[in-house]
Amino acid sequence: MGLSVVIPTHDRATLLDGAIRSVLASPLVLSRRDVIVVDDQSEDETPEVARALGVRYVRIVAGGPSGARNAGLRLAEAEYIAFLDDDDAWLPTNMALQLAALQRTPAAAFAFGRVQRTNFELQPFGEPIPAAVLPSGNVLEFVYHFDLQLGAILFRRSALLDVGGFDDALRFNEDSDLLVRLAAKYPAVGVDVVGSLFRQRVPNLRDSSLRWPSHRDRLAAQRKWQKAGIRIPLRVRLDSDLKYRGMTSYFFCEDARLALTVGRKTEAAEALLRGLRLSPLHCLFGHRRLWSILPLFFGGQ
């Protein structure tokens, strides 16, 4: 039994080629028609790459990550659906155990494994994530606390359609939002397999400009869950929030350093203020980066 794979993309023709080829190498992909590339207004050679490899190609206008994935979901024909970011890659056996798990557990909405972080050249580093034991059954608390990567998750199409797919109102954190909504309604299965390679991008000024909107979308998703009656135990929320605020405030400090290296002191100050607003304790006492960059505001680089 095959599956459909949706690959949303925007101006990453070179990386997209590798992502598509990694999926086509899987014996679970029975037809190139089952690989759906959704192009969100690319201005590079993305159409030529997709068509040269014989996969389905559709172009949308300003759909964002949620809109692109939903467009692919509407075109998908298989019972099981996977999503892959255009800068990541499947490992050869990806989705085999996930598919078997879903076939054994007809009530489950999705089956998930781990991903291996890599640098830009797809050279692995660190341990596969998430490192914790992957649970099965009611996984709501787990998916709330851990950032699962879509590249190692296989979904049941009927469950995706039942919850309305990805939330088009969210440009960021749309994957976490989907998993929480699914896990609140259905069981899921964790399988101990490393399914895909996940390019871990280094901090850069483009991502820096997106960090605060991402934070706002995270808060919007949490408000939506509360309104929908999705209840997360207080201890889980506090633990998850502490981890998130520590990590994100660190990145705001790193954003400030990057802005200062190119003389953008206003942007640097804004990043630092946002980091302090998010978690003053982490910024002041947990991140040594803050104290190393403060002199750059007054003494130059």
Side-chain angles (χ1 to χ4, degrees):
M1 182 178 294
L3 47 89
S4 293
V5 185
V6 177
I7 307 177
T9 190
H10 174 73
D11 282 343
R12 285 180 176 163
T14 303
L15 298 176
L16 175 65
D17 181 89
I20 295 174
R21 290 181 186 277
S22 74
V23 169
L24 291 176
S26 170
L28 299 178
V29 178
L30 303 182
S31 167
R32 291 175 186 260
R33 180 178 173 81
D34 289 325
V35 180
I36 305 166
V37 172
V38 184
D39 181 4
D40 192 354
Q41 303 185 95
S42 291
E43 297 180 354
D44 59 6
E45 295 75 30
T46 289
E48 289 77 12
V49 168
R51 288 166 181 154
L53 292 172
V55 299
R56 296 178 74 181
Y57 171 83
V58 60
R59 184 177 177 88
I60 64 172
V61 177
S66 290
R69 293 188 180 116
N70 284 334
L73 174 60
R74 288 191 292 270
L75 291 173
E77 299 171 349
E79 180 182 356
Y80 303 103
I81 312 293
F83 299 91
L84 179 66
D85 288 348
D86 57 4
D87 57 342
D88 296 336
W90 273 18
L91 292 171
T93 59
N94 193 27
M95 299 303 171
L97 292 181
Q98 291 94 320
L99 177 59
L102 289 181
Q103 290 174 333
R104 289 195 309 269
T105 317
F110 61 95
F112 61 101
R114 312 179 199 273
V115 301
Q116 175 62 57
R117 289 174 293 170
T118 77
N119 61 16
F120 187 80
E121 288 75 31
L122 286 183
Q123 297 172 331
F125 70 86
E127 296 298 318
I129 56 174
V133 174
L134 305 185
S136 295
N138 182 351
V139 300
L140 178 58
E141 294 182 17
F142 188 86
V143 299
Y144 184 93
H145 184 71
F146 291 96
D147 293 324
L148 303 184
Q149 298 300 323
L150 289 179
I153 304 175
L154 186 64
F155 296 91
R156 197 179 302 276
R157 182 172 180 271
S158 58
L160 287 175
L161 295 176
D162 182 48
V163 300
F166 294 87
D167 186 346
D168 287 329
L170 297 176
R171 183 170 178 81
F172 306 95
N173 292 287
E174 73 289 342
D175 46 357
S176 298
D177 169 66
L178 174 70
L179 292 172
V180 165
R181 289 187 287 116
L182 281 171
K185 192 170 185 179
Y186 294 96
V189 184
V191 292
D192 192 9
V193 62
V194 180
S196 69
L197 301 177
F198 171 68
R199 273 193 175 92
Q200 184 83 60
R201 294 197 298 271
V202 298
N204 59 76
L205 288 176
R206 180 183 179 279
D207 286 350
S208 300
S209 66
L210 305 177
R211 208 173 306 284
W212 193 251
S214 175
H215 172 63
R216 290 201 303 263
D217 271 4
R218 183 177 189 269
L219 296 179
Q222 291 176 336
R223 290 193 295 270
K224 182 179 67 174
W225 301 336
Q226 291 178 344
K227 187 175 181 180
I230 298 175
R231 299 288 181 246
I232 309 294
L234 179 61
R235 60 173 178 79
V236 177
R237 286 190 283 118
L238 291 176
D239 191 27
S240 178
D241 194 55
L242 182 64
K243 181 187 74 168
Y244 165 79
R245 288 178 180 272
M247 177 184 66
T248 307
S249 61
Y250 166 81
F251 280 121
F252 274 123
C253 290
E254 184 65 10
D255 293 341
R257 185 192 67 80
L258 288 172
L260 286 171
T261 61
V262 293
R264 300 182 185 177
K265 290 189 176 182
T266 300
E267 291 181 28
E270 184 178 68
L272 278 183
L273 288 173
R274 284 174 169 171
L276 286 166
R277 177 178 173 184
L278 194 64
S279 181
L281 290 178
H282 278 107
C283 282
L284 293 172
F285 303 108
H287 306 319
R288 289 177 294 177
R289 174 73 71 190
L290 173 66
W291 302 105
S292 68
I293 63 177
L294 282 179
L296 298 180
F297 278 103
F298 310 103
Q301 300 177 24

